[in-house]
């Protein structure tokens, strides 16, 4: 799966401990590929066993000290292989869309309120992405790495914009639906 590759990417950007990786996932990679603390630690063990990463030597030996990891040449090669491989898009699965379809046969009770809640969540996420864009991608930051990272962020911005537009239209449609909330 892709979690090992997400970890290899993060470690190539900056050698880190498992806790630091978890925090970085929460603040960046987690926007498009989430993982729990336990999943990250489990994958670190597997990646180390496969010879893709190694534990960095500790400055001062101490029991319970956090381990930091770095990517080995085999890990970089694996990430390059995976990055260059062709992959088909995955089918989109969305519970809200399935619930909308079900509402057509069992009634719409509760759906409109949840659409409003989703709209608010997407508006907040868009605002957060736009703040990241303003902070991390000012004019003039145009190295290849910056441009590729910005493309990933733009995908998030565009997806949030799509959802806001779709939810706004869905709520307008709900306002025009006739009759009671049950089918």
């Amino acid at each position: 799966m892709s979690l090992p590759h997400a970890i290899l990417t993060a470690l190539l950007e900056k050698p880190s401990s498992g806790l630091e990786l978890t925090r970085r996932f929460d603040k960046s990679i987690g926007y498009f590929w989430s993982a729990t603390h336990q999943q990250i630690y489990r994958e670190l063990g597997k990646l180390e066993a496969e010879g893709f990463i190694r534990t960095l030597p500790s400055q001062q030996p101490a029991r319970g000290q956090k381990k930091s990891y770095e990517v080995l040449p085999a890990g970089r090669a694996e990430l390059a292989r995976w990055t260059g491989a062709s992959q088909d898009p995955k089918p989109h699965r969305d519970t809200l869309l399935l619930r909308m379809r079900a509402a057509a046969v069992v009634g719409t009770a509760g759906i409109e309120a949840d659409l409003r809640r989703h709209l608010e969540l997407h508006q907040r996420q868009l605002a957060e992405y736009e703040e990241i864009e303003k902070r991390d991608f000012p004019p003039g930051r145009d190295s290849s790495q910056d441009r590729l990272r910005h493309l990933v962020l733009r995908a998030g911005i565009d997806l949030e914009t799509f959802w806001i537009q779709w939810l706004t239209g869905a709520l307008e449609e709900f306002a025009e639906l006739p009759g009671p909330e049950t089918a």
Side-chain angles (χ1 to χ4, degrees):
M1 211 60 203
S2 297
L3 179 57
H5 299 101
I7 291 172
L8 287 171
T9 299
L11 289 175
L12 277 170
E13 290 174 341
K14 179 182 176 193
S16 305
S17 69
L19 181 59
E20 290 165 338
L21 278 173
T22 300
R23 288 181 181 147
R24 288 174 56 208
F25 263 73
D26 288 346
K27 292 181 181 177
S28 63
I29 292 173
Y31 288 123
F32 56 89
W33 198 270
S34 61
T36 66
H37 188 72
Q38 293 84 1
Q39 289 171 316
I40 290 171
Y41 273 95
R42 191 169 39 249
E43 286 302 324
L44 285 170
K46 290 177 186 177
L47 289 167
E48 191 169 25
E50 292 171 353
F52 292 154
I53 64 172
R54 74 176 180 114
T55 305
L56 288 170
S58 175
Q59 273 79 332
Q60 42 192 306
R63 184 175 159 89
Q65 183 163 348
K66 67 180 178 182
K67 295 182 191 177
S68 287
Y69 299 89
E70 71 176 354
V71 177
L72 295 171
R76 180 181 284 275
E78 167 55 22
L79 187 59
R81 182 208 60 77
W82 179 79
T83 300
S86 177
Q87 293 184 351
D88 292 336
K90 301 289 183 224
H92 183 72
R93 296 171 58 170
D94 190 288
T95 307
L96 179 62
L97 297 178
L98 181 58
R99 289 175 52 229
M100 292 282 292
R101 181 70 183 254
V105 292
V106 298
T108 61
I111 294 289
E112 186 174 2
D114 207 34
L115 287 172
R116 291 186 191 291
R117 187 179 69 82
H118 277 251
L119 177 59
E120 184 180 311
L121 292 170
H122 285 287
Q123 288 169 331
R124 275 192 265 157
Q125 189 65 66
L126 177 60
E128 189 173 341
Y129 284 166
E130 288 173 337
E131 279 300 312
I132 292 169
E133 184 177 42
K134 213 181 296 179
R135 180 192 69 218
D136 294 349
F137 299 101
R141 281 195 70 179
D142 61 352
S143 71
S144 295
Q145 288 180 332
D146 285 335
R147 290 172 72 180
L148 291 173
R149 288 181 183 127
H150 194 194
L151 276 173
V152 173
L153 179 60
R154 287 295 321 162
I157 289 170
D158 291 348
L159 284 169
E160 294 305 326
T161 300
F162 161 79
W163 279 111
I164 290 167
Q165 290 172 345
W166 185 86
L167 287 160
T168 300
L171 286 164
E172 289 169 1
E173 191 75 30
F174 258 79
E176 296 177 14
L177 290 177
E181 289 198 10
T182 57

